[in-house]
Amino acid sequence: MLLFFESFIWRLVAAGGTIARVSLHIGTLHPQLIGFGYNWNINDGLCDEVKVAEAATKSDSYKLNPLYRVFELGETVRRRPNTPEALAEFPMMAELAAAGMTDYVAIPLSGAGHRNAITIATKHPNGFSEAGEARFQHLLSLFALHVERYGAMRISGNALNAYLGQSASAKVLSGSIKRGSGESIHAVIWISDLRGFTDLSDRLSGSDMLTLLNAYFEAMAGAVLAHGGEVLKFIGDGLLAVFPVQGDDEITIAAKAAISAARQAIVGLDALNANAPAEFSDRTNWEQLRVGIALHEGEVFFGNIGSPDRLDFTVIGPAVNEASRVEALQKVLGRSILVTEAVARHLDCKMDHLGEHTLRGVATPISIYSPAEGHSPRELGLAAAGAPRG
């Protein structure tokens, strides 16, 4: 979008337009963002993209900005920045006047309630001519169609990324939406579970439980995503994720990324235990959270399953079942991170061998390991909060 917008502006300038400052604003659907802004100024001729957080619309400065009128009321706002009336109505006019702008207009690219708009300003002594403004409005009616299409595509991508993850959303958007469609992938599988979840659910209010789970998943999922993993599913207090192996020689990279993510998740959980979320109302019911994380390697089917009218994009296969049963061993072994031999053999950090264990439905016992206790993350060959070594 940025390159298209910049090209559009320069063509307006080449056609004799007197514009000196332009900003484009596109609303989106995103858990943390309200939209994107693109700003161009003739002084440097550059165009940049700005992510606009949801909190920006709650500020007093937003209510005193012309865009408030555009977004909330669908109005077109035109002002002469250097007039006393404009300066009193919109504080930002002082900045425009200081930059030499003589005329400013903010135009909705869609109706009220939609956050698509464009603003233009000029330094021409007489401002925008009526004929020039009419021509610009005609061009904007065409430009708005592209903005609407781009906005819809970005909203679709943002929403699917938030609910499915980046890889799964890309497959869905590319047309992989039929039941049974998908592919077999080689991956390191992550399954984690919050210990004592049933007891917590019985004791905590609904709002406190949501606060706790959000903080807990931020530590877990945040660590997975920071190390290139794909978060596939939240199941109650459980988390299913994968670290795909792109080639036969990249299993070591995936294994190191997974173990580094697990260590970072434990560090994040320790920080959460030390400082309960501010939104948590009943501090007397706050207790140390414990987690079990299992890492296993194998082939899984990554694709669509479900009924014809309600599908889910997930991973299934024997390796997923085995990872789940390994995670359950945490209750017996008392270690937060359990790693199967299939993953451990690709790691160069110090590991404790916790013996061979028989898993339900698996004929051959599996050797289980855990990062060695009593060592720092650096001694374990791990980066505490960054990408894995190697």
Side-chain angles (χ1 to χ4, degrees):
M1 186 65 208
L2 187 148
L3 294 177
F4 179 84
F5 175 56
E6 187 174 16
S7 176
F8 176 68
I9 295 170
W10 282 116
R11 280 170 168 76
L12 289 175
V13 172
T18 59
I19 56 176
R21 177 186 181 276
V22 187
S23 68
L24 174 65
H25 306 267
I26 302 178
T28 191
L29 183 62
H30 189 280
Q32 297 173 316
L33 304 177
I34 195 68
F36 299 85
Y38 304 87
N39 304 302
W40 177 89
N41 193 303
I42 200 169
N43 291 338
D44 57 22
L46 301 177
C47 187
D48 56 35
E49 179 184 84
V50 178
K51 295 179 179 179
V52 184
E54 178 80 30
T57 62
K58 311 299 182 184
S59 65
D60 291 336
S61 60
Y62 169 66
K63 295 178 182 179
L64 295 174
N65 190 295
L67 289 175
Y68 175 83
R69 300 269 192 90
V70 175
F71 293 150
E72 308 301 333
L73 304 175
E75 295 180 358
T76 294
V77 177
R78 183 175 180 181
R79 298 290 187 273
R80 295 277 185 167
N82 54 4
T83 63
E85 296 80 10
L87 291 168
E89 187 179 13
F90 300 115
M92 67 162 291
M93 292 296 163
E95 178 184 344
L96 295 177
M101 305 299 169
T102 59
D103 203 353
Y104 166 93
V105 59
I107 304 169
L109 295 179
S110 50
H114 296 272
R115 299 184 182 276
N116 295 341
I118 192 168
T119 75
I120 56 172
T122 183
K123 294 183 179 181
H124 192 280
N126 298 324
F128 294 115
S129 66
E130 295 301 323
E133 184 180 358
R135 287 196 300 271
F136 190 72
Q137 288 279 12
H138 173 68
L139 290 173
L140 283 185
S141 65
L142 301 176
F143 181 70
L145 296 175
H146 181 81
V147 171
E148 290 283 355
R149 175 180 175 274
Y150 172 82
M153 291 176 61
R154 191 144 194 176
I155 285 173
S156 298
N158 288 340
L160 287 174
N161 281 345
Y163 284 94
L164 297 180
Q166 190 170 3
S167 292
S169 68
K171 292 180 183 298
V172 170
L173 286 173
S174 68
S176 179
I177 59 173
K178 294 181 179 179
R179 184 169 58 162
S181 66
E183 60 181 328
S184 292
I185 65 169
H186 188 194
V188 173
I189 304 156
W190 163 306
I191 289 184
S192 59
D193 187 65
L194 180 64
R195 303 267 76 88
F197 176 69
T198 301
D199 177 61
L200 288 169
S201 299
D202 290 340
R203 291 190 294 103
L204 299 181
S205 66
S207 60
D208 273 353
M209 194 69 234
L210 286 176
T211 297
L212 182 150
L213 283 175
N214 282 333
Y216 160 72
F217 279 130
E218 184 174 347
M220 296 296 112
V224 170
L225 295 172
H227 290 273
E230 281 285 327
V231 174
L232 300 179
K233 197 174 299 299
F234 300 102
I235 310 169
D237 61 320
L239 173 64
L240 172 62
V242 291
F243 293 80
V245 177
Q246 304 299 327
D248 293 339
D249 59 341
E250 294 189 11
I251 177 58
T252 298
I253 296 175
K256 288 184 176 181
I259 196 68
S260 292
R263 291 289 301 184
Q264 182 178 328
I266 297 300
V267 171
L269 192 63
D270 288 343
L272 179 60
N273 283 332
N275 297 284
E279 303 88 347
F280 197 83
S281 63
D282 188 359
R283 297 304 176 101
T284 61
N285 268 322
W286 181 260
E287 63 180 49
Q288 298 294 292
L289 302 179
R290 296 175 296 114
V291 68
I293 301 172
L295 301 178
H296 186 39
E297 176 201 352
E299 294 289 327
V300 296
F301 176 78
F302 184 44
N304 288 297
I305 62 170
S307 71
D309 298 322
R310 178 61 175 89
L311 296 172
D312 191 14
F313 215 107
T314 187
V315 293
I316 57 173
V320 178
N321 300 333
E322 292 165 5
S324 178
R325 288 161 190 162
V326 169
E327 190 281 324
L329 290 175
Q330 193 271 347
K331 301 173 184 177
V332 176
L333 299 177
R335 301 289 281 268
S336 295
I337 303 173
L338 300 180
V339 183
T340 64
E341 184 178 10
V343 176
R345 64 187 177 186
H346 299 291
L347 302 175
D348 56 9
C349 57
K350 296 180 180 179
M351 305 288 286
D352 290 336
H353 183 217
L354 305 183
E356 293 190 345
H357 297 266
T358 301
L359 305 179
R360 181 170 54 86
V362 180
T364 305
I366 293 180
S367 288
I368 304 297
Y369 296 80
S370 184
E373 294 185 334
H375 298 276
S376 69
R378 184 174 297 279
E379 289 173 324
L380 293 171
L382 306 170
R389 293 188 302 145

